Amino acid sequence: MRALVIGSGGREHALLLGLDRDPSVTELHAAPGNAGTAAIATNHAVDANSGDAVVALAREVGADLVVIGPEVPLVHGVADALRAAGFPTFGPSAAAAQIEGSKAFAKDVMAAAGVATARAESVTSVDDVDGALDRFGPVWVVKDDGLAAGKGVVVTPDRDAARAHAVEVITAGNPVLLESFLDGPEVSLFCLVDGDTVVPLLPAQDHKRVGDDDEGPNTGGMGAYTPLPWLPDGMVQTIVDDVVRPVAAELVKRGTAFSGLLYAGLAIGPDGPSVVEFNCRFGDPETQAVLDMLRTPLGDVLEAVANGTLADLPALEWHDGSAVVVVLAAENYPGTPRTGDPITGAANDGVLHAGTKVVDGAIVSSGGRVLSVVGRGADLAAARAQAYERLSQVSLPGSHFRTDIGKAAEEGRITL
Ligand code: GLY
């Protein structure tokens, strides 16, 4: 199988590594890829958001499977263009990708499907911000209602900070979504979805704040671990039955059947799971840990979804134990990151690339989240130890990372 992966982050590096481990995959291509993916795939400098450019590349390389990593090409209809040209494609249509691209669409689908989620209000005028803030709190959740990769969310008990973010987003031209705060530990549950068929992967937990103990602003994700020792037995099945399958069925009913990876971000409260958000693609950095645990050949899994035969795929097989991923971020991330710094240890085992490129033969930083480092072990403690030991062998001037990924779970401090 010749596989082409669209995107350039740690998630795409993880997808390529998973495909590389699959003996049926004979050739790997990435577009545009990064300095890490170049070690296992041929990188192609094409515009990942252009259906025409991606179809032309799929033809050029004779792709048997195209996997679209990020949300932006999906929302732009790149999967539709590939399918129309006859390429087996992992990723939803633009219509189904609205589950992430339009928060209003997602709320409407959830309401129709009877799925628990936060109360929400869209605000488009600065004049309406104060009145809307009065209807929420004491913790405000203020979201940029555009594609912001998680970075457009401010969760704060400080009304002035909530107001400032809302005004900033509206002034920049996007609507703001105010949401009621969902209390309880968060779960990222990635599900393979092929119409009505839903197959969950291992549950994971992201760490969205930049600093230890969940201090500082939100980021795209600073680290994750899988599975979740504190999640009650049966909760994954409850989420599938009460949340993901009803949403998948509602999308089928609307004529916008989902095919790809449906990512349910949930808070587990006293009344059970509530949806924080849906995404139309694998999450980053959870994917780096989750796919490290997968024993079933990844090409078979993605191809089954792309070909509409997920219902026939045998049960997924997983490694025992746990996996942890820790993100190494550039100086000043999640603000404007410093780039162009040299990286050492970038080719080591377990080191996945995101914001990297090659300049004059050397690997340098080129984005905010630069690397993600994965460890796996017999339990969470062993996986954490390996991830942090591997991270200690890497250096990037000015960089920072969280030291507590998976720590609260390891110490049994997460309770429902
Ligand atoms: N893990 C957060 C995201 O992928 O959006």
Side-chain angles (χ1 to χ4, degrees):
M1 183 200 305
R2 283 182 296 268
L4 166 62
V5 174
I6 305 302
S8 64
R11 163 185 52 212
E12 286 75 29
H13 195 175
L15 286 162
L16 285 158
L17 284 169
L19 289 165
D20 197 41
R21 289 191 288 269
D22 181 338
S24 73
V25 176
T26 50
E27 213 175 290
L28 281 174
H29 297 269
N34 58 43
T37 67
I40 51 170
T42 306
N43 283 352
H44 301 267
V46 307
D47 177 0
N49 298 328
S50 159
D52 289 347
V54 173
V55 167
L57 176 62
R59 279 205 184 99
E60 182 190 320
V61 304
D64 302 305
L65 174 69
V66 185
V67 183
I68 303 178
E71 60 277 19
V72 176
L74 293 166
V75 169
H76 286 180
V78 173
D80 304 80
L82 284 160
R83 284 197 189 94
F87 291 101
T89 301
F90 185 90
S93 65
Q98 289 304 301
I99 196 81
E100 176 167 2
S102 162
K103 304 235 169 17
F105 176 83
K107 291 284 178 193
D108 196 52
V109 168
M110 283 188 267
V115 167
T117 184
R119 181 172 64 86
E121 223 178 281
S122 179
V123 187
T124 52
S125 159
V126 170
D127 294 341
D128 296 335
V129 166
D130 285 310
L133 288 171
D134 288 345
R135 294 187 283 279
F136 291 85
V139 176
W140 284 270
V141 180
V142 185
K143 293 186 176 176
D144 181 340
D145 198 6
L147 290 175
K151 282 174 280 188
V153 185
V154 165
V155 181
T156 178
D158 178 345
R159 189 188 160 112
D160 291 341
R163 186 181 193 285
H165 185 58
V167 169
E168 185 187 329
V169 171
I170 293 170
T171 307
N174 281 348
V176 150
L177 203 72
L178 292 183
E179 286 190 356
S180 55
F181 176 63
L182 296 173
D183 212 357
E186 290 197 3
V187 174
S188 300
L189 187 66
F190 299 167
C191 293
L192 302 163
V193 175
D194 167 17
D196 281 318
T197 306
V198 175
V199 175
L201 308 188
L202 291 181
Q205 188 178 54
D206 193 3
H207 293 57
K208 295 210 175 78
R209 302 273 183 173
V210 71
D212 281 6
D213 300 320
D214 292 329
E215 295 288 339
N218 261 26
T219 67
M222 293 298 289
Y225 64 97
T226 185
L228 308 178
W230 49 269
L231 199 68
D233 288 346
M235 184 58 84
V236 166
Q237 195 58 46
T238 300
I239 296 168
V240 169
D241 292 342
D242 294 355
V243 175
V244 183
R245 200 170 283 125
V247 162
E250 176 63 24
L251 290 171
V252 170
K253 193 169 139 197
R254 290 176 182 223
T256 53
F258 195 96
S259 169
L261 194 291
L262 189 55
Y263 162 159
L266 309 124
I268 311 297
D271 300 327
S274 287
V275 175
V276 177
E277 64 181 2
F278 274 108
N279 294 315
C280 64
R281 37 81 193 172
F282 282 97
D284 192 334
E286 299 98 310
T287 300
Q288 291 87 309
V290 171
L291 292 186
D292 201 67
M293 294 287 289
L294 183 68
R295 288 184 55 210
T296 305
L298 182 61
D300 292 351
V301 174
L302 302 179
E303 200 173 41
V305 178
N307 290 338
T309 57
L310 181 61
D312 303 330
L313 188 74
L316 297 177
E317 292 180 29
W318 300 95
H319 291 286
D320 291 333
S322 296
V324 169
V325 55
V326 183
V327 167
L328 185 71
E331 182 170 317
N332 203 41
Y333 177 79
T336 305
R338 190 173 94 187
T339 57
D341 285 304
I343 305 166
T344 53
N348 293 355
D349 280 350
V351 177
L352 278 64
H353 290 221
T356 65
K357 65 178 181 182
V358 177
V359 175
D360 297 333
I363 297 178
V364 302
S365 58
S366 63
R369 290 190 293 173
V370 179
L371 302 172
S372 42
V373 181
V374 178
R376 176 150 51 90
D379 56 21
L380 193 46
R384 291 189 73 234
Q386 187 181 66
Y388 281 107
E389 202 285 319
R390 286 175 163 176
L391 188 57
S392 74
Q393 307 297 318
V394 172
S395 74
L396 168 67
S399 61
H400 58 97
F401 60 89
R402 280 183 64 156
T403 67
D404 64 346
I405 304 300
K407 190 170 178 210
E410 182 196 331
E411 294 175 352
R413 288 188 281 114
I414 301 184
T415 50
L416 292 178

